[in-house]
Amino acid sequence: MLEAKAITVRYGAREAVAGVTLSAELGLLTAIIGPNGAGKSTLMRALNGAKELSGGEILLDGKPLREFARRAVGRRIAVVAQESELRFPVTVMEFVLGGRYAWASTGAWGWETERDIEAAKRALFETELTDFAARLVSELSGGERQRVVLARALATEASILLLDEPTANLDLAHQAAMLSLVRERCDKRGASAVVVTHDVNLAAAFADRVLLIKGGRTLAAGAPREVLKPDTLRELFDIQVLVDEHPVTGAPRITPVLKHQERR
Amino acid sequence: MSLSADDKTASVAAGAAREARVTLRYSLVVLLLLTVFMLVVMVASSLLGSERLPVTATLCAIFTGGRGACELTSIESAIIFGVRLPRIALAATVGASLAAAGSGYQALLRNPLAEPYLLGISNGAAVGTMIALVFFGTGDTAEWSRPVMAFAGALCATFLVYRLARGRAGTSPERLILAGVIVTTFLSSVIVFVTTLMDATRIRSFTFWLLGDLSGSTAQMLTIAVVAALFGVIVLSMNARSLNLMMLGERDAFDLGVEVERVRLTVFLVASLLVGASVASSGSVGYVGLVVPHLVRLSVGSDNRLTIPAAALAGASFVIIADTVARTVIAPRELPVGAITALIGAPLFIYLLRRG
């Protein structure tokens, strides 16, 4: 379990994250929603120990995160970050096997074990990438690459998943497929996930809890039904929204009402 | 590996031969083949030179370590054991060091164009060597002071180019090359300045050395370079799996459990050591660290656990071949080996730059 207690992260004098409390509990999927520049990505970096805290603390299984070796953190927390540029030809398989780094027994030189290969193959299967194993990552489309990055995170077999806009480049079907996969990890294997997303409806459909942040501060937190309300969302995005019930799932359904549409 | 292989056929062959990943077994086979190739090149090179030697007798002498009755005159024997073989050993060492260091810099700076010579790191080592020459002169201390100062010089240049190249958005290839140009030209003027402090007779041999010269080394210097090369290639290979991840981005590597700071420091130190030792023993042989790792990645993929040791072995063969050409093509006179490697390397660099 990963807990952030009133954490603050500063860039110079500016507080990018100010006193945010959050816990990633067993089997739960938490969605973080907020406008651009709200501090979502910084919060995610902090949760993984990549950002120095200027206040509060982060506990991993009850112990301060900074007391863990990087390798130990790598086995417990998997990250899907916004993608970085690739300049070397690596195959999909090689890329996904990178997720097994933290499990190497004898230093970093170790070659992958059967168990590593198995974990990588399973992750490729789950993300529908089995046929892509020998392809070069640099030759894939944006959406395929994003699935490769998720496959690497799944291959770590970490119980905590931190995903920063994992669905940004995906088509409708793959967006749902990706979040279903994460949802399944939570439900069947007791994983916990924290997902940053701009898609409020996706969050409403998949998340157990939603955290709304603006200007680095928590605006509201709780179950989607309690938090995703017209007034709160209006405060969050400075835009009029309509919230009703999804006719099939019953989850809150959010529709932005744009100015030029108002009296049509 | 054939160094003259055409890019396209090489990459097609690589695609067909390569599986989804590099395995230990495959790596061992590749390394074994490269070792055999290097040994063949070594023997062939020892037969070639301005002095024509009887083939059978020379082979007999080499394979019996000079102890058999091989019908060689004492002069011929001296040419093989006193001149050619030490020089071949030095060429192999320098080639292995520079190619391995190049692979290391490329993975660390996430840039296939990173190369000790082009980044000004060789020039840093050259300045260090020259300062040692000017201030410590010759003698026992001097012999040690040169590689030590070369290492220090390489390290300073590495640090400088790294700081210059690192912008807000990380290190872009263009920015890195520009930083390399700045460091190189700055250090070149330092070299010119130090050269003017020397007497006229040494300047010529100096200019030759600056372009890479494998003829002027001593047994002690060769020993230092061999030890540095072995140590360096082993340490780099041990960090290869971490480098595989850092090559794709330091942030991702950190997330996956790599101790990024430690690996970066280790690789910078070791790569600088490799460059320092080879520059101190034979000047700046350019482009080896670019040409060799590129061809290796083209043929066997980008897994550093294989590419680093493979580049070392292929680099050894490459410099032996280049040096054999340098000392035979206008025999009995010689070209600096760096001129040959640059003739091959510069066009490849332009090609890589254009391809982006």
Short mmCIF file of all heavy atoms in Angstrom, two decimals, chain A residues 45 48-50 70-71 79 81 84 86-89 91 93 95 97-98 100-102 104 108-112 117 133 136 152, chain B residues 18 20-24 27 106 110-112 171 173 237-238 241-242 245 247-248 251-252 254-259 297 302 305:
data_model
loop_
_atom_site.label_atom_id
_atom_site.label_comp_id
_atom_site.label_asym_id
_atom_site.label_seq_id
_atom_site.Cartn_x
_atom_site.Cartn_y
_atom_site.Cartn_z
N ARG A 45 5.12 11.82 -10.02
CA ARG A 45 6.57 11.65 -9.86
C ARG A 45 6.92 11.56 -8.38
O ARG A 45 7.79 10.78 -7.99
CB ARG A 45 7.35 12.83 -10.49
CG ARG A 45 7.10 13.09 -11.96
CD ARG A 45 7.55 11.99 -12.86
NE ARG A 45 8.97 11.72 -12.78
CZ ARG A 45 9.49 10.50 -12.93
NH1 ARG A 45 8.72 9.48 -13.16
NH2 ARG A 45 10.79 10.33 -12.85
N ASN A 48 6.39 8.19 -6.64
CA ASN A 48 7.39 7.18 -6.96
C ASN A 48 8.76 7.52 -6.38
O ASN A 48 9.74 6.84 -6.59
CB ASN A 48 7.50 7.04 -8.48
CG ASN A 48 8.39 5.91 -8.88
OD1 ASN A 48 8.44 4.90 -8.20
ND2 ASN A 48 9.12 6.09 -9.96
N GLY A 49 8.84 8.64 -5.66
CA GLY A 49 10.11 9.00 -5.04
C GLY A 49 11.04 9.74 -5.96
O GLY A 49 12.22 9.93 -5.66
N ALA A 50 10.56 10.17 -7.13
CA ALA A 50 11.43 10.84 -8.08
C ALA A 50 11.51 12.34 -7.82
O ALA A 50 12.33 13.03 -8.40
CB ALA A 50 10.96 10.59 -9.51
N ARG A 70 16.28 1.67 -4.68
CA ARG A 70 15.54 1.89 -5.93
C ARG A 70 15.01 0.58 -6.50
O ARG A 70 13.91 0.48 -7.02
CB ARG A 70 16.43 2.55 -6.98
CG ARG A 70 16.54 4.05 -6.95
CD ARG A 70 15.30 4.78 -6.55
NE ARG A 70 14.15 4.56 -7.43
CZ ARG A 70 12.92 5.01 -7.18
NH1 ARG A 70 12.69 5.71 -6.09
NH2 ARG A 70 11.94 4.79 -8.01
N ARG A 71 15.84 -0.44 -6.41
CA ARG A 71 15.48 -1.74 -6.95
C ARG A 71 14.24 -2.30 -6.24
O ARG A 71 13.35 -2.87 -6.87
CB ARG A 71 16.67 -2.68 -6.76
CG ARG A 71 16.69 -3.87 -7.64
CD ARG A 71 17.98 -4.60 -7.43
NE ARG A 71 19.04 -4.05 -8.26
CZ ARG A 71 19.27 -4.48 -9.50
NH1 ARG A 71 18.54 -5.42 -10.03
NH2 ARG A 71 20.24 -3.96 -10.21
N VAL A 79 5.48 2.26 -13.19
CA VAL A 79 5.05 3.57 -13.67
C VAL A 79 4.83 3.54 -15.18
O VAL A 79 5.62 2.96 -15.91
CB VAL A 79 6.13 4.63 -13.34
CG1 VAL A 79 5.72 5.99 -13.88
CG2 VAL A 79 6.37 4.70 -11.85
N ALA A 81 4.71 6.42 -17.70
CA ALA A 81 4.85 7.87 -17.78
C ALA A 81 4.52 8.34 -19.18
O ALA A 81 4.34 7.55 -20.10
CB ALA A 81 6.27 8.26 -17.41
N SER A 84 8.81 8.90 -23.70
CA SER A 84 10.05 9.59 -24.01
C SER A 84 10.52 9.18 -25.40
O SER A 84 10.06 8.21 -25.97
CB SER A 84 11.10 9.23 -22.96
OG SER A 84 11.14 7.85 -22.77
N LEU A 86 12.74 7.75 -28.43
CA LEU A 86 13.61 6.59 -28.62
C LEU A 86 14.61 6.86 -29.73
O LEU A 86 14.24 7.23 -30.83
CB LEU A 86 12.77 5.39 -29.06
CG LEU A 86 12.11 4.55 -27.98
CD1 LEU A 86 11.31 3.45 -28.64
CD2 LEU A 86 13.14 3.96 -27.06
N ARG A 87 15.89 6.67 -29.45
CA ARG A 87 16.88 6.92 -30.51
C ARG A 87 17.65 5.67 -30.88
O ARG A 87 18.51 5.69 -31.74
CB ARG A 87 17.86 8.00 -30.06
CG ARG A 87 17.18 9.31 -29.78
CD ARG A 87 18.13 10.47 -29.94
NE ARG A 87 17.50 11.67 -29.45
CZ ARG A 87 17.74 12.21 -28.26
NH1 ARG A 87 18.63 11.65 -27.46
NH2 ARG A 87 17.13 13.31 -27.89
N PHE A 88 17.38 4.56 -30.21
CA PHE A 88 18.08 3.32 -30.52
C PHE A 88 17.07 2.26 -30.92
O PHE A 88 15.96 2.24 -30.41
CB PHE A 88 18.88 2.84 -29.31
CG PHE A 88 20.05 3.72 -28.99
CD1 PHE A 88 19.91 4.77 -28.10
CD2 PHE A 88 21.27 3.50 -29.58
CE1 PHE A 88 20.98 5.59 -27.80
CE2 PHE A 88 22.36 4.32 -29.29
CZ PHE A 88 22.21 5.36 -28.40
N PRO A 89 17.43 1.39 -31.86
CA PRO A 89 16.51 0.35 -32.27
C PRO A 89 16.41 -0.76 -31.22
O PRO A 89 17.34 -1.53 -31.06
CB PRO A 89 17.13 -0.18 -33.57
CG PRO A 89 18.59 0.15 -33.48
CD PRO A 89 18.71 1.34 -32.59
N THR A 91 13.75 -3.94 -29.79
CA THR A 91 12.53 -4.67 -30.13
C THR A 91 11.52 -4.54 -28.98
O THR A 91 11.89 -4.18 -27.86
CB THR A 91 12.81 -6.17 -30.35
OG1 THR A 91 13.26 -6.72 -29.11
CG2 THR A 91 13.86 -6.40 -31.41
N MET A 93 10.01 -6.88 -27.46
CA MET A 93 10.35 -7.85 -26.41
C MET A 93 11.44 -7.30 -25.50
O MET A 93 11.34 -7.37 -24.28
CB MET A 93 10.82 -9.16 -27.06
CG MET A 93 11.04 -10.29 -26.09
SD MET A 93 9.50 -10.75 -25.28
CE MET A 93 10.00 -12.17 -24.35
N PHE A 95 12.20 -4.24 -24.95
CA PHE A 95 11.65 -3.12 -24.21
C PHE A 95 10.85 -3.62 -23.00
O PHE A 95 11.04 -3.15 -21.88
CB PHE A 95 10.77 -2.28 -25.13
CG PHE A 95 10.33 -0.97 -24.55
CD1 PHE A 95 11.08 0.18 -24.76
CD2 PHE A 95 9.17 -0.88 -23.79
CE1 PHE A 95 10.67 1.39 -24.22
CE2 PHE A 95 8.76 0.32 -23.24
CZ PHE A 95 9.52 1.46 -23.46
N LEU A 97 11.01 -6.52 -21.55
CA LEU A 97 11.87 -7.20 -20.59
C LEU A 97 12.56 -6.21 -19.65
O LEU A 97 13.00 -6.58 -18.57
CB LEU A 97 12.92 -8.05 -21.32
CG LEU A 97 12.42 -9.43 -21.76
CD1 LEU A 97 13.45 -10.09 -22.66
CD2 LEU A 97 12.14 -10.32 -20.56
N GLY A 98 12.66 -4.94 -20.09
CA GLY A 98 13.19 -3.90 -19.21
C GLY A 98 12.44 -3.84 -17.89
O GLY A 98 13.00 -3.49 -16.86
N ARG A 100 11.67 -6.18 -16.11
CA ARG A 100 12.15 -7.21 -15.19
C ARG A 100 13.46 -6.83 -14.52
O ARG A 100 14.03 -7.61 -13.76
CB ARG A 100 12.33 -8.54 -15.94
CG ARG A 100 11.07 -9.03 -16.62
CD ARG A 100 9.94 -9.27 -15.65
NE ARG A 100 10.28 -10.29 -14.65
CZ ARG A 100 9.55 -10.54 -13.56
NH1 ARG A 100 8.47 -9.85 -13.33
NH2 ARG A 100 9.93 -11.47 -12.72
N TYR A 101 13.96 -5.64 -14.82
CA TYR A 101 15.26 -5.20 -14.31
C TYR A 101 15.39 -5.39 -12.80
O TYR A 101 16.37 -5.93 -12.31
CB TYR A 101 15.48 -3.73 -14.66
CG TYR A 101 16.76 -3.14 -14.11
CD1 TYR A 101 17.94 -3.22 -14.83
CD2 TYR A 101 16.78 -2.51 -12.88
CE1 TYR A 101 19.12 -2.70 -14.33
CE2 TYR A 101 17.96 -1.99 -12.35
CZ TYR A 101 19.12 -2.08 -13.09
OH TYR A 101 20.28 -1.56 -12.57
N ALA A 102 14.36 -4.91 -12.08
CA ALA A 102 14.45 -4.91 -10.62
C ALA A 102 14.48 -6.32 -10.03
O ALA A 102 14.81 -6.50 -8.86
CB ALA A 102 13.30 -4.11 -10.03
N ALA A 104 16.34 -8.84 -11.32
CA ALA A 104 17.60 -9.52 -11.62
C ALA A 104 18.33 -9.82 -10.32
O ALA A 104 18.45 -8.97 -9.46
CB ALA A 104 18.46 -8.66 -12.53
N ALA A 108 23.32 -6.15 -12.12
CA ALA A 108 22.52 -5.75 -13.27
C ALA A 108 22.95 -6.48 -14.53
O ALA A 108 22.37 -6.32 -15.58
CB ALA A 108 22.62 -4.24 -13.46
N TRP A 109 24.01 -7.29 -14.43
CA TRP A 109 24.51 -7.94 -15.63
C TRP A 109 23.65 -9.13 -16.01
O TRP A 109 23.63 -9.58 -17.15
CB TRP A 109 25.96 -8.39 -15.42
CG TRP A 109 26.69 -8.54 -16.70
CD1 TRP A 109 26.24 -8.18 -17.94
CD2 TRP A 109 27.98 -9.08 -16.88
NE1 TRP A 109 27.19 -8.45 -18.88
CE2 TRP A 109 28.27 -9.01 -18.26
CE3 TRP A 109 28.94 -9.62 -16.02
CZ2 TRP A 109 29.48 -9.46 -18.79
CZ3 TRP A 109 30.13 -10.06 -16.54
CH2 TRP A 109 30.41 -9.98 -17.92
N GLY A 110 22.91 -9.65 -15.01
CA GLY A 110 22.20 -10.90 -15.16
C GLY A 110 21.36 -10.99 -16.42
O GLY A 110 20.74 -10.02 -16.84
N TRP A 111 21.33 -12.15 -17.02
CA TRP A 111 20.46 -12.38 -18.17
C TRP A 111 19.10 -12.80 -17.65
O TRP A 111 18.98 -13.29 -16.54
CB TRP A 111 21.07 -13.43 -19.09
CG TRP A 111 22.28 -12.89 -19.76
CD1 TRP A 111 23.53 -12.82 -19.23
CD2 TRP A 111 22.32 -12.27 -21.04
NE1 TRP A 111 24.36 -12.18 -20.12
CE2 TRP A 111 23.65 -11.84 -21.24
CE3 TRP A 111 21.39 -12.02 -22.03
CZ2 TRP A 111 24.07 -11.18 -22.39
CZ3 TRP A 111 21.80 -11.38 -23.19
CH2 TRP A 111 23.13 -10.97 -23.35
N GLU A 112 18.08 -12.59 -18.46
CA GLU A 112 16.73 -12.87 -18.04
C GLU A 112 16.54 -14.36 -17.77
O GLU A 112 17.06 -15.19 -18.50
CB GLU A 112 15.73 -12.41 -19.10
CG GLU A 112 15.60 -10.91 -19.23
CD GLU A 112 16.68 -10.28 -20.09
OE1 GLU A 112 17.46 -11.04 -20.69
OE2 GLU A 112 16.76 -9.04 -20.12
N ILE A 117 11.04 -14.14 -18.82
CA ILE A 117 10.50 -14.26 -20.17
C ILE A 117 8.99 -14.50 -20.11
O ILE A 117 8.21 -13.91 -20.86
CB ILE A 117 11.16 -15.46 -20.92
CG1 ILE A 117 12.68 -15.38 -20.84
CG2 ILE A 117 10.67 -15.56 -22.35
CD1 ILE A 117 13.31 -14.34 -21.68
N ALA A 133 6.28 -8.85 -30.85
CA ALA A 133 7.47 -9.06 -30.03
C ALA A 133 8.78 -8.72 -30.74
O ALA A 133 9.67 -8.11 -30.15
CB ALA A 133 7.50 -10.50 -29.52
N LEU A 136 10.45 -3.47 -34.07
CA LEU A 136 11.18 -2.39 -33.40
C LEU A 136 10.17 -1.39 -32.85
O LEU A 136 9.22 -1.00 -33.53
CB LEU A 136 12.12 -1.69 -34.37
CG LEU A 136 13.32 -2.51 -34.86
CD1 LEU A 136 14.16 -1.69 -35.82
CD2 LEU A 136 14.18 -2.98 -33.69
N ARG A 152 5.28 -3.13 -20.42
CA ARG A 152 6.49 -3.14 -19.59
C ARG A 152 6.13 -2.96 -18.11
O ARG A 152 6.69 -3.62 -17.24
CB ARG A 152 7.45 -2.04 -20.04
CG ARG A 152 8.74 -2.04 -19.25
CD ARG A 152 9.76 -1.10 -19.82
NE ARG A 152 9.38 0.29 -19.59
CZ ARG A 152 10.12 1.33 -19.98
NH1 ARG A 152 11.25 1.13 -20.61
NH2 ARG A 152 9.71 2.55 -19.75
N ARG B 18 17.99 -12.16 -36.33
CA ARG B 18 17.72 -11.78 -34.96
C ARG B 18 16.36 -12.20 -34.48
O ARG B 18 15.37 -12.11 -35.19
CB ARG B 18 17.86 -10.26 -34.82
CG ARG B 18 18.13 -9.85 -33.42
CD ARG B 18 18.51 -8.43 -33.37
NE ARG B 18 17.39 -7.63 -33.84
CZ ARG B 18 17.45 -6.32 -33.96
NH1 ARG B 18 18.56 -5.70 -33.69
NH2 ARG B 18 16.42 -5.65 -34.35
N ALA B 20 13.49 -11.90 -31.19
CA ALA B 20 12.91 -10.74 -30.52
C ALA B 20 13.86 -10.18 -29.46
O ALA B 20 13.73 -9.05 -29.05
CB ALA B 20 11.59 -11.13 -29.89
N ARG B 21 14.81 -10.98 -29.04
CA ARG B 21 15.74 -10.47 -28.03
C ARG B 21 17.10 -11.14 -28.18
O ARG B 21 17.22 -12.17 -28.84
CB ARG B 21 15.20 -10.74 -26.63
CG ARG B 21 15.18 -12.22 -26.31
CD ARG B 21 14.45 -12.51 -25.03
NE ARG B 21 14.51 -13.94 -24.76
CZ ARG B 21 15.43 -14.49 -24.00
NH1 ARG B 21 16.34 -13.76 -23.40
NH2 ARG B 21 15.45 -15.80 -23.81
N VAL B 22 18.10 -10.55 -27.55
CA VAL B 22 19.44 -11.11 -27.56
C VAL B 22 19.57 -12.07 -26.39
O VAL B 22 19.26 -11.71 -25.27
CB VAL B 22 20.47 -9.96 -27.44
CG1 VAL B 22 21.86 -10.51 -27.22
CG2 VAL B 22 20.44 -9.09 -28.70
N THR B 23 19.98 -13.30 -26.68
CA THR B 23 20.13 -14.26 -25.58
C THR B 23 21.61 -14.43 -25.24
O THR B 23 22.49 -14.04 -26.00
CB THR B 23 19.58 -15.64 -25.99
OG1 THR B 23 20.29 -16.08 -27.14
CG2 THR B 23 18.10 -15.56 -26.32
N LEU B 24 21.85 -15.03 -24.09
CA LEU B 24 23.23 -15.26 -23.64
C LEU B 24 23.97 -16.14 -24.64
O LEU B 24 25.11 -15.87 -25.02
CB LEU B 24 23.21 -15.91 -22.26
CG LEU B 24 24.57 -16.30 -21.68
CD1 LEU B 24 25.47 -15.08 -21.54
CD2 LEU B 24 24.41 -16.97 -20.32
N SER B 27 24.87 -14.30 -27.73
CA SER B 27 25.97 -13.37 -27.43
C SER B 27 27.30 -14.09 -27.40
O SER B 27 28.29 -13.61 -27.96
CB SER B 27 25.74 -12.70 -26.07
OG SER B 27 24.53 -12.02 -26.08
N GLN B 106 27.46 6.66 -25.86
CA GLN B 106 26.23 6.68 -26.66
C GLN B 106 25.01 6.28 -25.83
O GLN B 106 23.96 6.90 -25.91
CB GLN B 106 26.38 5.77 -27.88
CG GLN B 106 27.21 6.40 -28.97
CD GLN B 106 27.95 5.41 -29.83
OE1 GLN B 106 27.58 4.25 -29.90
NE2 GLN B 106 29.01 5.86 -30.47
N ARG B 110 22.35 8.99 -24.65
CA ARG B 110 21.21 8.62 -25.51
C ARG B 110 21.38 9.21 -26.90
O ARG B 110 20.49 9.85 -27.44
CB ARG B 110 19.92 9.11 -24.88
CG ARG B 110 19.40 8.13 -23.85
CD ARG B 110 18.10 8.57 -23.28
NE ARG B 110 18.26 9.76 -22.49
CZ ARG B 110 17.45 10.80 -22.56
NH1 ARG B 110 16.45 10.79 -23.38
NH2 ARG B 110 17.67 11.84 -21.80
N ASN B 111 22.56 9.03 -27.46
CA ASN B 111 22.85 9.64 -28.74
C ASN B 111 23.81 8.77 -29.52
O ASN B 111 24.96 8.60 -29.14
CB ASN B 111 23.46 11.01 -28.47
CG ASN B 111 23.58 11.83 -29.71
OD1 ASN B 111 23.70 11.29 -30.81
ND2 ASN B 111 23.56 13.12 -29.56
N PRO B 112 23.36 8.21 -30.65
CA PRO B 112 24.23 7.32 -31.43
C PRO B 112 25.43 8.05 -32.04
O PRO B 112 26.34 7.41 -32.56
CB PRO B 112 23.32 6.81 -32.55
CG PRO B 112 21.95 7.28 -32.23
CD PRO B 112 22.04 8.38 -31.25
N THR B 171 19.24 16.21 -23.31
CA THR B 171 20.32 16.37 -24.27
C THR B 171 19.83 16.05 -25.67
O THR B 171 19.58 14.91 -25.98
CB THR B 171 21.47 15.41 -23.93
OG1 THR B 171 21.49 15.24 -22.52
CG2 THR B 171 22.78 15.91 -24.41
N PRO B 173 20.46 15.63 -29.75
CA PRO B 173 21.64 15.27 -30.53
C PRO B 173 22.39 16.50 -31.04
O PRO B 173 23.61 16.58 -30.95
CB PRO B 173 21.07 14.47 -31.70
CG PRO B 173 19.75 14.01 -31.27
CD PRO B 173 19.24 14.99 -30.27
N SER B 237 30.54 -3.56 -19.23
CA SER B 237 29.65 -4.68 -19.50
C SER B 237 28.80 -5.02 -18.29
O SER B 237 27.64 -5.41 -18.41
CB SER B 237 30.45 -5.92 -19.90
OG SER B 237 31.23 -5.64 -21.02
N MET B 238 29.37 -4.86 -17.09
CA MET B 238 28.61 -5.14 -15.87
C MET B 238 27.47 -4.15 -15.68
O MET B 238 26.49 -4.44 -15.01
CB MET B 238 29.53 -5.15 -14.65
CG MET B 238 30.35 -6.41 -14.55
SD MET B 238 31.61 -6.29 -13.28
CE MET B 238 30.60 -6.24 -11.82
N ARG B 241 23.14 -3.79 -18.44
CA ARG B 241 21.69 -3.92 -18.36
C ARG B 241 21.07 -2.60 -17.86
O ARG B 241 19.98 -2.22 -18.30
CB ARG B 241 21.29 -5.08 -17.44
CG ARG B 241 19.84 -5.44 -17.62
CD ARG B 241 19.46 -6.73 -16.97
NE ARG B 241 18.03 -6.98 -17.14
CZ ARG B 241 17.36 -7.90 -16.48
NH1 ARG B 241 17.99 -8.66 -15.62
NH2 ARG B 241 16.07 -8.05 -16.69
N SER B 242 21.76 -1.93 -16.96
CA SER B 242 21.29 -0.61 -16.52
C SER B 242 21.34 0.37 -17.68
O SER B 242 20.42 1.17 -17.88
CB SER B 242 22.17 -0.07 -15.38
OG SER B 242 22.29 -1.03 -14.37
N LEU B 245 18.45 0.38 -20.09
CA LEU B 245 17.28 1.16 -19.69
C LEU B 245 17.56 2.65 -19.76
O LEU B 245 16.71 3.43 -20.19
CB LEU B 245 16.85 0.76 -18.28
CG LEU B 245 16.38 -0.68 -18.14
CD1 LEU B 245 15.93 -0.96 -16.72
CD2 LEU B 245 15.24 -0.97 -19.10
N MET B 247 19.47 4.16 -21.75
CA MET B 247 19.49 4.49 -23.16
C MET B 247 18.11 4.94 -23.64
O MET B 247 17.98 5.70 -24.58
CB MET B 247 19.92 3.23 -23.89
CG MET B 247 20.39 3.37 -25.28
SD MET B 247 21.25 1.85 -25.71
CE MET B 247 19.89 0.78 -26.14
N LEU B 248 17.06 4.42 -22.98
CA LEU B 248 15.69 4.74 -23.38
C LEU B 248 15.13 5.91 -22.59
O LEU B 248 13.98 6.28 -22.75
CB LEU B 248 14.79 3.52 -23.19
CG LEU B 248 15.25 2.24 -23.87
CD1 LEU B 248 14.32 1.10 -23.54
CD2 LEU B 248 15.33 2.43 -25.37
N ARG B 251 14.54 8.87 -16.83
CA ARG B 251 13.39 8.86 -15.94
C ARG B 251 12.77 7.46 -15.88
O ARG B 251 12.49 6.95 -14.81
CB ARG B 251 12.36 9.88 -16.43
CG ARG B 251 11.80 10.70 -15.32
CD ARG B 251 10.93 11.78 -15.87
NE ARG B 251 9.79 11.23 -16.57
CZ ARG B 251 8.81 11.97 -17.06
NH1 ARG B 251 8.87 13.28 -16.93
NH2 ARG B 251 7.81 11.42 -17.68
N ASP B 252 12.60 6.86 -17.06
CA ASP B 252 12.06 5.50 -17.10
C ASP B 252 12.98 4.54 -16.36
O ASP B 252 12.53 3.66 -15.63
CB ASP B 252 11.91 5.03 -18.55
CG ASP B 252 10.73 5.70 -19.24
OD1 ASP B 252 10.17 6.64 -18.66
OD2 ASP B 252 10.37 5.28 -20.36
N PHE B 254 14.98 5.17 -13.91
CA PHE B 254 14.80 5.40 -12.47
C PHE B 254 13.55 4.67 -11.99
O PHE B 254 13.58 3.95 -10.99
CB PHE B 254 14.69 6.90 -12.21
CG PHE B 254 14.41 7.26 -10.78
CD1 PHE B 254 15.45 7.45 -9.88
CD2 PHE B 254 13.11 7.41 -10.34
CE1 PHE B 254 15.20 7.78 -8.56
CE2 PHE B 254 12.84 7.75 -9.02
CZ PHE B 254 13.88 7.93 -8.12
N ASP B 255 12.46 4.81 -12.73
CA ASP B 255 11.19 4.17 -12.35
C ASP B 255 11.33 2.66 -12.27
O ASP B 255 10.68 2.01 -11.46
CB ASP B 255 10.09 4.50 -13.37
CG ASP B 255 9.69 5.97 -13.33
OD1 ASP B 255 9.95 6.62 -12.30
OD2 ASP B 255 9.13 6.46 -14.33
N LEU B 256 12.16 2.10 -13.14
CA LEU B 256 12.28 0.64 -13.20
C LEU B 256 13.28 0.10 -12.18
O LEU B 256 13.51 -1.11 -12.11
CB LEU B 256 12.68 0.21 -14.61
CG LEU B 256 11.59 0.42 -15.67
CD1 LEU B 256 12.16 0.34 -17.06
CD2 LEU B 256 10.47 -0.59 -15.48
N GLY B 257 13.91 1.00 -11.41
CA GLY B 257 14.77 0.53 -10.33
C GLY B 257 16.26 0.74 -10.55
O GLY B 257 17.07 0.24 -9.77
N VAL B 258 16.65 1.48 -11.59
CA VAL B 258 18.07 1.72 -11.83
C VAL B 258 18.55 2.86 -10.93
O VAL B 258 17.87 3.87 -10.80
CB VAL B 258 18.32 2.12 -13.30
CG1 VAL B 258 19.80 2.38 -13.54
CG2 VAL B 258 17.81 1.04 -14.23
N GLU B 259 19.70 2.67 -10.30
CA GLU B 259 20.29 3.78 -9.55
C GLU B 259 21.04 4.66 -10.53
O GLU B 259 22.24 4.53 -10.75
CB GLU B 259 21.21 3.24 -8.46
CG GLU B 259 20.44 2.70 -7.29
CD GLU B 259 21.32 2.04 -6.27
OE1 GLU B 259 22.22 2.73 -5.76
OE2 GLU B 259 21.13 0.85 -6.02
N ARG B 297 25.77 -2.45 -33.66
CA ARG B 297 24.33 -2.38 -33.40
C ARG B 297 23.53 -2.77 -34.63
O ARG B 297 22.49 -3.42 -34.53
CB ARG B 297 23.94 -0.97 -32.96
CG ARG B 297 24.11 -0.74 -31.47
CD ARG B 297 23.33 0.49 -31.03
NE ARG B 297 23.84 1.67 -31.68
CZ ARG B 297 24.79 2.44 -31.18
NH1 ARG B 297 25.29 2.16 -30.00
NH2 ARG B 297 25.22 3.49 -31.82
N SER B 302 20.71 -3.71 -30.17
CA SER B 302 21.15 -2.65 -29.26
C SER B 302 21.33 -3.10 -27.81
O SER B 302 21.49 -2.27 -26.93
CB SER B 302 20.13 -1.51 -29.26
OG SER B 302 19.99 -1.02 -30.57
N ARG B 305 24.58 -5.55 -23.30
CA ARG B 305 25.30 -6.70 -22.73
C ARG B 305 26.09 -7.41 -23.83
O ARG B 305 27.10 -8.03 -23.57
CB ARG B 305 24.31 -7.67 -22.08
CG ARG B 305 23.77 -7.14 -20.78
CD ARG B 305 22.66 -8.00 -20.26
NE ARG B 305 21.50 -7.97 -21.15
CZ ARG B 305 20.34 -8.55 -20.87
NH1 ARG B 305 20.20 -9.21 -19.74
NH2 ARG B 305 19.32 -8.48 -21.70
#
